[in-house]
Amino acid sequence: MQNTDERTKSKRLSILIAILACIIALLSMFITFGSSLGLPSWNEIYAFCGVSKSTDSAISFSFINVGSADACYIKCSGKNILIDGGTSLTADKVCAYLKRNGCTHLDAIIVSHTDSDHIGGISSIIDEFGADVICEGALQDELIPDTAEYNNYQNSIKENNITVKSPEIPSSETIGELKLSFISPTTQYSSTNDSSLVVKLEFKEISALFTGDISKDVEEILINSNLELKSDILKVSHHGSKTASTEEFLQAVSPQISVVSVGLSDNTLPDAKTMARINKFSNSLYRTDMDGTIVINSDGKTLSVQTNTKH
């Protein structure tokens, strides 16, 4: 038989467990249903604690909210790829996101082009994570920028002894189970935007097309090529600018999901008519200024989307 002290301790323990269970239940209810009260979501709790469940799938595409810039982190079967790196001001945010999702090293960085809103953060990212290779488009000498961001980018490449290559167009290669097809630029252009390295990613039965900042002129060349443009995911060109996303191009791609990376403070982007065209040819349209960081998960067959307006 238990003595009095043991019975007292057992009773206190039962009461404590009951109290903790009530607290957990209340917290769960408030976190799940309390967004209207300004309470954090579970994703925000995970983020605060340095844990993330958003990319636990065979492949995930995280369009990180970096304002009117581009940064997409792709996690696929243990491989880590970054397409563009945002600005120098958002580098810490990108680095924190990669860490939160278990990335310790990048297998590849794809640089669409050398404008500051695409390479500005890459220097800090390289210093933090390193990379096996950087793929970038070939530029004419007169288009090579003389900016602090570009100089920092080049210095970090040298300091970290990273291999840089300009893929042949068209050409393809694989990283793990992921196939990368480089399809533009097919010729030399007079602007960095049109010189964007356009890449199509394929994993099992799903595909994603990343267009950099190309204009309708490049879109027309791609339409007239023999390449298969149809893709499940489209990274909309040039932050939803009126200079791109023609009806003909959108029809050729016919995406299930289109994503626009754009900032809240930008009064000119995205263009309203461009958004209307995208809505016409895409099943779903997401914007980082409204939806925050957008995560598309897939098992290689189906797609699901998570958004978080706080990040």
Side-chain angles (χ1 to χ4, degrees):
M1 293 178 63
Q2 287 183 320
N3 60 36
T4 303
D5 287 343
E6 289 174 337
R7 287 197 298 270
T8 301
K9 289 179 180 178
S10 178
K11 186 176 181 180
R12 286 175 179 172
L13 181 60
S14 297
I15 293 171
L16 180 60
I17 291 172
I19 291 171
L20 288 173
C22 289
I23 291 171
I24 291 169
L26 285 170
L27 283 173
S28 179
M29 180 182 69
F30 277 114
I31 291 171
T32 304
F33 301 106
S35 58
S36 60
L37 302 176
L39 294 172
S41 67
W42 280 116
N43 279 341
E44 292 168 312
I45 298 295
Y46 294 137
F48 180 79
C49 296
V51 180
S52 174
K53 290 191 175 182
S54 62
T55 60
D56 290 342
S57 59
I59 186 170
S60 65
F61 302 83
S62 295
F63 295 86
I64 303 171
N65 182 13
V66 288
S68 291
D70 273 340
C72 184
Y73 168 54
I74 298 153
K75 190 174 180 180
C76 180
S77 302
K79 299 297 184 180
N80 298 283
I81 298 168
L82 186 70
I83 300 183
D84 290 333
T87 67
S88 56
L89 296 177
T90 60
D92 288 347
K93 185 173 188 177
V94 175
C95 288
Y97 188 88
L98 266 58
K99 287 180 182 177
R100 197 158 64 237
N101 285 279
C103 179
T104 58
H105 180 78
L106 288 164
D107 295 278
I109 298 175
I110 298 171
V111 175
S112 67
H113 60 298
T114 55
D115 287 358
S116 296
D117 57 330
H118 293 255
I119 66 161
I122 291 182
S123 174
S124 297
I125 294 166
I126 289 172
D127 292 341
E128 184 73 36
F129 298 95
D132 290 343
V133 64
I134 292 178
C135 298
E136 61 178 19
L139 277 181
Q140 300 180 66
D141 289 343
E142 57 267 27
L143 292 180
I144 297 175
D146 183 18
T147 62
E149 289 87 353
Y150 184 76
N151 292 332
N152 290 338
Y153 165 65
Q154 290 296 322
N155 289 335
S156 289
I157 287 172
K158 293 176 183 176
E159 290 170 4
N160 292 282
N161 196 29
I162 296 172
T163 300
V164 178
K165 64 179 181 181
S166 297
E168 292 185 13
I169 306 296
S171 67
S172 63
E173 61 181 80
T174 58
I175 298 178
E177 296 182 69
L178 191 63
K179 180 182 177 182
L180 292 77
S181 297
F182 300 97
I183 61 175
S184 189
T186 56
T187 187
Q188 291 186 332
Y189 293 101
S190 60
S191 72
T192 54
N193 284 346
D194 280 346
S195 301
S196 291
L197 187 60
V198 178
V199 59
K200 182 176 180 179
L201 277 60
E202 296 171 272
F203 174 73
K204 296 183 179 179
E205 298 178 22
I206 66 112
S207 56
L209 184 63
F210 288 80
T211 57
D213 280 355
I214 62 171
S215 71
K216 58 185 178 182
D217 295 333
V218 179
E219 290 179 348
E220 184 177 1
I221 291 173
L222 289 173
I223 292 167
N224 292 329
S225 71
N226 293 321
L227 299 169
E228 177 59 72
L229 298 178
K230 184 171 175 55
S231 302
D232 299 293
I233 302 166
L234 172 65
K235 198 293 295 185
V236 173
S237 178
H238 205 187
H239 321 289
S241 166
K242 63 182 179 182
T243 62
S245 302
T246 63
E247 285 203 3
E248 292 79 10
F249 183 72
L250 293 168
Q251 187 172 25
V253 179
S254 296
Q256 290 187 44
I257 299 169
S258 295
V259 178
V260 182
S261 188
V262 66
L264 274 171
S265 60
D266 199 319
N267 296 321
T268 59
L269 295 171
D271 178 70
K273 291 182 179 179
T274 301
M275 294 300 96
R277 288 198 301 272
I278 295 170
N279 268 316
K280 181 179 177 182
F281 292 99
S282 180
N283 292 345
S284 301
L285 171 61
Y286 293 90
R287 298 166 42 164
T288 56
D289 60 338
M290 294 182 174
D291 300 304
T293 293
I294 299 150
V295 181
I296 303 174
N297 286 301
S298 179
D299 57 1
K301 294 182 179 181
T302 60
L303 302 173
S304 64
V305 182
Q306 297 178 6
T307 62
N308 190 342
T309 55
K310 300 294 184 182
H311 296 91

